[in-house]
Amino acid sequence: MAHRVVIDPITRIEGHMKIEASVEGGKVVDAKSSGTLFRGFEIILQGREPRDAQRITQRVCGVCPTVHATASTLNLDSAFGIADKIPDNGRILRNLVLGSNYLQSHILHFYHLAALDFVDVASVKDYSGKDPQLTSVKDFIQRGVLEPFMPRYEGDYRFDKETNQILVKHYLEAFEIRRLAHEMLSIFGGKMPHNATIVPGGITEHPTVDKITGFLWRLNKIRTFIDNIYLPDVMAVAKEYSDYFTIGAGCGNFLCYGAFDLESKNPDYASRKRLFPQGVVFGLKELKPLEPDKITESVKHSWYDGNDGVYPLNGETVPNHEKSEGYSWIKSPRYDGKVCEVGPLARWVVGYFSGVKEIKSAVDNCISELGISIDKLNSVLGRHAARALDAKLVADKMAEWILELKPGEPVCADYEVPEEAEGMGLVDGPRGALGHWIRIKNRVIEKYQLVVPTTWNGSPRDENGNPGPVEQALLDTQVKDVDNPFELVRIVRSFDPCLACSVHVVNLGNSKKGIYRIA
């Protein structure tokens, strides 16, 4: 008889996510991933001035607003007919703003969301050193004040006490590094979260020697942290928990929209030259070029009415919480009808099979040090390793890009808002492939659709019964104790879910809770 395990909500992620797993004979035989809130940003945007989009869509999430600003602005560039007219300064500054958020997001995920699955914070209660940070944590634990570290599933913590204490110290140091990344973003983005400077045509902030200098010294501090702490910590976890290279394998298909434009004269986002190339890899074997018209969404098991297998711009957002077959507010994106994983691992798999020299060299060095084959990257620890490599490459490239800025030269192209137009913006964010689509009529938004990374990864079954990537990663997992299913949360968190993005709050009772004015 199967035992039903329900984890609701999954903690240490962004947003509200529920996981159900049927465990039989100690193994997961069925799994469901559910987004449990509806928000309706696509509906909010209807009838608004098109240039409101890059401001409003950033409010989808406070952790990853920058990639929404980027995708939305690429979307408007496309609709306004200026995607090939962005000045080099504008292109580079957009990359630096997005890269700053990449670094903050990756460090946040490993240290403050996922590392506590492997690091025993409670070991600090026996700390006998003089470090004020660890002494403070020790005092809290001894007084029984354990939040935010507790409650937790009691996993199989394997590091010795001294290593645990070092890793807790790095957990605390990572807050300072994240602050530096936010400051760095604010130099050219104006503020964080929800930057104010990325606009159609480029960016509104102009580079100066002082701003370049302030950005670079912060970046170099972050690079030192990545090289000397983040990467070694990920490798330490990977070696101590090497069995997690055989746990959490997903669908085996990987999709990347590409990220960080290296040119702005090619208006085609599917083929424009980018640091991370566009493409799809099926079965860790076959690389295919990205064809955006093969992107569809289904709602068979989502709480929406509508048709299945629909191109996003032709889709609708019609909520129906009474739908009998639905179990999630997340739709089911598919590429050419196939389930695809997105995120850092997908970026690195596509880059590897595309033959990008820096990516291939880094992956080969990583798997050589870990003593694994490349197929083992399709796993819990493969996702963590790819995210750390992602941070390293982006940070190093940012140090080059910042020196390519030319103070005094243009940062933005001129444009006019068209009477009617359609647009599409595709870019990879920290969590993976993000797409925005727009239709403009009478100079206002007639339709706007978002398909975000966790919509791909956290999707429910489609009309053909195919489980989404997270659901597939949970299947066949051995669960030692159904009352303490730490294996399952480790798998889910390896995807770095952002449910705030994917569920695009509604009160089904129709009573008024408050009125909010968006300026």
Side-chain angles (χ1 to χ4, degrees):
M1 179 177 177
H3 187 102
R4 181 168 171 260
V5 175
V6 179
I7 308 173
D8 182 15
I10 296 279
T11 57
R12 283 191 271 117
I13 66 168
E14 285 83 30
H16 298 260
M17 185 180 198
K18 172 185 175 182
I19 293 294
E20 294 185 51
S22 295
V23 179
E24 191 169 342
K27 180 184 291 188
V28 176
V29 295
D30 189 24
K32 289 184 178 180
S33 164
S34 303
T36 57
L37 283 177
F38 169 73
R39 305 173 78 201
F41 269 82
E42 293 94 341
I43 298 171
I44 292 169
L45 285 161
Q46 291 175 6
R48 299 193 67 106
E49 216 275 358
R51 288 169 295 186
D52 286 349
Q54 81 268 12
R55 303 277 79 86
I56 292 175
T57 56
Q58 288 190 71
R59 273 68 186 174
V60 166
C61 180
V63 175
C64 44
T66 310
V67 71
H68 282 286
T70 304
S72 183
T73 308
L74 292 172
N75 193 16
L76 296 179
D77 289 344
S78 170
F80 295 174
I82 56 172
D84 58 349
K85 296 178 174 61
I86 313 303
D88 284 340
N89 269 353
R91 171 183 60 81
I92 294 167
L93 287 168
R94 283 182 178 181
N95 284 347
L96 294 173
V97 170
L98 178 59
S100 298
N101 189 232
Y102 257 70
L103 303 184
Q104 185 279 143
S105 182
H106 288 345
I107 291 168
L108 159 68
H109 176 256
F110 180 71
Y111 284 100
H112 303 136
L113 302 181
L116 298 181
D117 287 336
F118 305 99
V119 178
D120 186 8
V121 179
S123 66
V124 177
K125 70 177 181 292
D126 299 321
Y127 178 67
S128 59
K130 298 180 180 179
D131 186 285
Q133 288 183 310
L134 290 181
T135 299
S136 177
V137 173
K138 173 186 175 181
D139 290 344
F140 274 98
I141 292 175
Q142 288 181 332
R143 295 204 310 268
V145 182
L146 300 178
E147 296 83 357
F149 309 118
M150 304 289 183
R152 67 181 183 182
Y153 289 121
E154 293 299 328
D156 57 329
Y157 299 111
R158 304 177 190 175
F159 289 117
D160 59 43
K161 183 169 65 176
E162 181 180 359
T163 303
N164 275 314
Q165 291 173 359
I166 291 171
L167 291 170
V168 172
K169 179 174 173 57
H170 294 166
Y171 170 101
L172 299 168
E173 290 175 355
F175 284 111
E176 171 66 14
I177 300 303
R178 288 176 55 206
R179 183 179 67 83
L180 288 174
H182 282 321
E183 290 178 355
M184 195 166 63
L185 188 154
S186 298
I187 289 173
F188 295 123
K191 64 187 182 73
M192 175 65 193
H194 316 317
N195 80 77
T197 64
I198 294 180
V199 295
I203 198 167
T204 61
E205 191 66 30
H206 289 264
T208 66
V209 172
D210 286 349
K211 291 172 185 175
I212 291 171
T213 301
F215 190 99
L216 186 57
W217 80 257
R218 288 175 173 85
L219 176 59
N220 284 335
K221 282 181 174 289
I222 296 170
R223 292 173 68 199
T224 298
F225 180 86
I226 292 170
D227 288 345
N228 298 329
I229 295 179
Y230 181 19
L231 281 167
D233 284 353
V234 170
M235 295 302 286
V237 170
K239 292 173 180 178
E240 190 66 38
Y241 292 85
S242 59
D243 50 318
Y244 274 81
F245 280 111
T246 63
I247 295 172
C251 58
N253 301 324
F254 299 93
L255 170 71
C256 178
Y257 288 164
F260 301 104
D261 289 337
L262 302 180
E263 63 168 339
S264 53
K265 302 308 177 186
N266 178 2
D268 182 8
Y269 301 139
S271 62
R272 172 181 285 183
K273 187 177 181 181
R274 290 175 159 173
L275 173 64
F276 293 106
Q278 308 89 329
V280 189
V281 171
F282 296 110
L284 274 174
K285 295 177 181 177
E286 186 180 14
L287 173 68
K288 294 286 189 179
L290 177 66
E291 299 179 62
D293 59 355
K294 291 184 177 181
I295 300 166
T296 59
E297 283 192 298
S298 296
V299 294
K300 177 72 172 179
H301 293 284
S302 307
W303 285 310
Y304 299 98
D305 291 330
N307 298 319
D308 294 317
V310 178
Y311 181 68
L313 189 56
N314 299 326
E316 302 288 342
T317 302
V318 183
N320 177 10
H321 192 251
E322 303 302 318
K323 186 174 178 180
S324 60
E325 293 176 291
Y327 63 89
S328 179
W329 283 116
I330 303 175
K331 296 180 182 181
S332 299
R334 299 294 183 257
Y335 183 86
D336 199 19
K338 297 179 176 62
V339 180
C340 290
E341 178 176 334
V342 303
L345 177 58
R347 268 196 295 281
W348 281 74
V349 168
V350 171
Y352 187 91
F353 281 87
S354 298
V356 178
K357 183 177 179 181
E358 292 160 305
I359 292 177
K360 195 171 187 311
S361 174
V363 170
D364 286 340
N365 289 338
C366 179
I367 62 178
S368 175
E369 181 175 348
L370 294 170
I372 60 173
S373 56
I374 191 168
D375 62 296
K376 296 302 181 185
L377 292 178
N378 183 16
S379 62
V380 169
L381 286 180
R383 295 185 190 100
H384 288 300
R387 193 170 284 108
L389 293 176
D390 213 55
K392 165 70 174 170
L393 179 57
V394 171
D396 288 348
K397 287 298 179 181
M398 288 170 68
E400 298 176 14
W401 297 334
I402 187 71
L403 299 178
E404 295 174 2
L405 290 170
K406 297 177 180 178
E409 294 197 2
V411 296
C412 195
D414 293 330
Y415 63 87
E416 291 185 4
V417 178
E419 181 76 21
E420 294 187 5
E422 291 184 356
M424 175 184 70
L426 301 179
V427 65
D428 250 53
R431 290 164 181 79
L434 173 63
H436 285 209
W437 286 262
I438 191 171
R439 180 176 294 139
I440 300 170
K441 189 172 183 179
N442 298 324
R443 289 195 174 89
V444 299
I445 298 171
E446 181 183 59
K447 179 175 285 189
Y448 204 100
Q449 289 289 310
L450 304 88
V451 182
V452 310
T454 301
T455 312
W456 287 95
N457 289 337
S459 65
R461 284 163 171 75
D462 57 30
E463 71 274 23
N464 297 314
N466 298 313
V470 168
E471 294 177 334
Q472 291 194 37
L474 291 168
L475 293 175
D476 296 325
T477 301
Q478 292 287 339
V479 179
K480 295 178 181 178
D481 179 0
V482 293
D483 295 320
N484 187 45
F486 58 82
E487 301 93 345
L488 303 187
V489 291
R490 284 174 174 173
I491 292 170
V492 174
R493 290 193 188 108
S494 72
F495 285 88
D496 194 8
C498 185
L499 275 292
C501 288
S502 63
V503 294
H504 317 279
V505 164
V506 67
N507 174 27
L508 297 175
N510 293 320
S511 62
K512 186 180 292 184
K513 296 296 183 183
I515 298 175
Y516 302 90
R517 185 180 302 278
I518 301 176

